[in-house]
Amino acid sequence: MSKYTYEPRGVCARKIEYDLEDGKIYNLKFTGGCNGNLQAISKLLEGHDAVRAAQILRGNDCNGKGTSCADQLSRALEEALG
């Protein structure tokens, strides 16, 4: 299992941490941001395919910022997956 840390840009969350094993997401944790929503995203994605999660979350916008915590997660996953 490989551990990753990502510093999101343009959103309230300050850090995204997660593990990848066999292309699946585990132990996803956001620091900062909308706690309830981000805990829900973490629970929903536990054990799910990282490529598919990135595809679904890419482009999600928060209040016209042009990005969101979910979009930043998609970028983190894409970066980790190469």
Side-chain angles (χ1 to χ4, degrees), residues 43-82:
K43 288 179 181 181
L44 287 168
L45 292 179
E46 182 71 17
H48 283 268
D49 182 74
V51 171
R52 183 68 183 129
Q55 291 170 343
I56 291 168
L57 299 174
R58 176 58 101 156
N60 190 62
D61 183 70
C62 180
N63 294 324
K65 293 180 182 178
T67 190
S68 67
C69 293
D71 180 63
Q72 289 294 300
L73 174 58
S74 76
R75 295 168 193 232
L77 293 169
E78 290 168 352
E79 185 178 292
L81 295 166

Side-chain angles (χ1 to χ4, degrees), residues 7-74:
E7 292 185 25
R9 294 165 201 80
V11 297
C12 298
R14 297 180 310 279
K15 183 167 49 171
I16 302 171
E17 299 172 274
Y18 59 96
D19 299 328
L20 289 179
E21 183 173 40
D22 298 325
K24 300 198 183 308
I25 303 165
Y26 297 97
N27 306 312
L28 176 59
K29 180 184 174 201
F30 291 82
T31 301
C34 302
N35 190 40
N37 290 333
L38 297 175
Q39 283 184 41
I41 288 173
S42 298
K43 288 179 181 181
L44 287 168
L45 292 179
E46 182 71 17
H48 283 268
D49 182 74
V51 171
R52 183 68 183 129
Q55 291 170 343
I56 291 168
L57 299 174
R58 176 58 101 156
N60 190 62
D61 183 70
C62 180
N63 294 324
K65 293 180 182 178
T67 190
S68 67
C69 293
D71 180 63
Q72 289 294 300
L73 174 58
S74 76

